[in-house]
Amino acid sequence: MHTSVAGPAVTVDLRQQPHAHALERAERSLGVVVDRESAVVKRRSVGARSDRETWVRLEVQPRESLGTRGWNGVEAAEVLRGVAKPAWYRGVSWLDRDAGLMWRADETQLVTAAPVPAAGVLRHAPELSESWWETFNASLDALATHRPAHPATRHTAFLTQQRITNLITRMFGADVDTTIDEWVAVHGDFAWPNLTAPECWLLDWEDWGAGPRGFDAVCLWMGSLAVPELAERIAAERAVDLSTRSGRLSWLYACAGILDTETDPVFTEPARHRAETLLGRPR
């Protein structure tokens, strides 16, 4: 009897690994030339401006991960209406069997506003106009009207009820009722590097899908804790979502994640305080 043996897990980090061959294939397939000097290289994606005044984003995943996270999210996000996101024009994907990698390239509308911040943790309050906040709120309101059949992805795994239950229970005890009663469309990776200013655009839609109501708001709140007044503003702007059962559980899940992985008191102290408030437990 023949028994197949799985090979070693494929690691991906385009900041360290060569990817010029994949970028050249994307150019040929999409009929564009990208500006290498404008390229933004991340762990699993490369984005660059094209000669057609569009944006080309190249993404890679180990072949084995295709069953555990999304893949054509940027294309599928075209169904979303009322959301300030770049329009999708065309895409192409292919399998590199020898390397065990899946590649995908998408051509989208070019956004010239800069990410807030370009990378890393937000440490200083950005200058955001009232019109920025209006677009921000209108986009999240519109997004929540959609009910996708596929789950959002968070940290390389699907966002599911079981995943939420497991973390909350492990961190806060089995007496917490973790049942989410409102599943709506969420971005999934709602962080400041995926938002722009001075115009508000929501970028990088590869991970979007169904998640608890309020999930995106708490993700951005979590990424704003080093700027307390900004975290408070987000909580105030999205209070209608965060006051719901699902919003409170989203918040508790976010706090559990911080307390499970972080050691910096800038993040752990407000997370602990918020969790105690949500649970109705005295400090």
Side-chain angles (χ1 to χ4, degrees):
M1 181 176 67
H2 175 72
T3 302
S4 61
V5 179
V10 177
T11 59
V12 172
D13 190 340
L14 297 181
R15 298 167 299 183
Q16 308 295 329
Q17 296 169 315
H19 52 268
H21 64 292
L23 198 56
E24 290 167 1
R25 179 164 178 171
E27 288 178 308
R28 293 194 301 271
S29 298
L30 298 175
V32 298
V33 176
V34 302
D35 176 11
R36 266 60 171 179
E37 292 186 1
S38 70
V40 178
V41 183
K42 300 181 181 179
R43 184 177 61 83
R44 62 182 177 90
S45 69
V46 179
R49 191 170 187 152
S50 81
D51 62 341
R52 206 150 47 202
E53 289 302 300
T54 58
W55 186 258
V56 173
R57 183 181 184 278
L58 176 69
E59 179 185 359
V60 64
Q61 291 186 25
R63 177 174 51 189
E64 291 74 17
S65 72
L66 282 179
T68 61
R69 60 171 297 136
W71 181 239
N72 67 333
V74 177
E75 175 183 355
E78 272 301 288
V79 302
L80 303 175
R81 295 290 178 264
V83 180
K85 54 172 288 297
W88 178 84
Y89 298 138
R90 57 192 60 83
V92 60
S93 60
W94 67 94
L95 170 64
D96 182 341
R97 286 183 172 80
D98 292 336
L101 297 174
M102 290 290 300
W103 294 90
R104 181 179 176 92
D106 289 284
E107 185 181 10
T108 66
Q109 178 182 359
L110 177 66
V111 172
T112 57
V116 188
V121 176
L122 189 72
R123 296 287 182 180
H124 304 284
E127 293 186 10
L128 304 174
S129 66
E130 289 305 311
S131 64
W132 188 97
W133 286 104
E134 290 172 5
T135 301
F136 168 84
N137 282 316
S139 293
L140 288 186
D141 289 345
L143 183 60
T145 65
H146 295 269
R147 300 291 188 274
H150 64 287
T153 304
R154 179 69 174 172
H155 295 157
T156 73
F158 288 135
L159 183 62
T160 64
Q161 176 69 70
Q162 190 61 56
R163 184 179 175 187
I164 292 168
T165 296
N166 289 347
L167 182 58
I168 292 177
T169 299
R170 179 160 59 83
M171 297 302 296
F172 302 122
D175 60 329
V176 181
D177 183 353
T178 61
T179 306
I180 303 294
D181 60 0
E182 287 184 88
W183 292 86
V184 301
V186 300
H187 181 280
D189 189 19
F190 209 61
W192 286 110
N194 288 333
L195 291 164
T196 70
E199 297 82 30
C200 179
W201 290 90
L202 284 56
L203 309 178
D204 287 359
W205 286 86
E206 66 272 16
D207 292 329
W208 82 280
R213 180 178 177 182
F215 182 77
D216 286 334
V218 296
C219 288
L220 200 62
W221 172 86
M222 183 168 54
S224 305
L225 291 177
V227 188
E229 65 274 19
L230 183 60
E232 291 174 7
R233 175 85 189 252
I234 292 164
E237 293 286 339
R238 304 309 303 171
V240 172
D241 288 337
L242 297 179
S243 63
T244 65
R245 173 183 175 80
S246 293
R248 293 192 301 271
L249 286 170
S250 292
W251 220 343
L252 193 61
Y253 177 67
C255 292
I258 293 172
L259 296 173
D260 188 39
T261 59
E262 277 283 352
T263 57
D264 188 340
V266 168
F267 298 96
T268 58
E269 285 307 305
R272 184 173 290 107
H273 175 69
R274 176 55 56 183
E276 290 168 347
T277 300
L278 291 164
L279 293 168
R281 299 173 181 172
R283 291 187 65 116

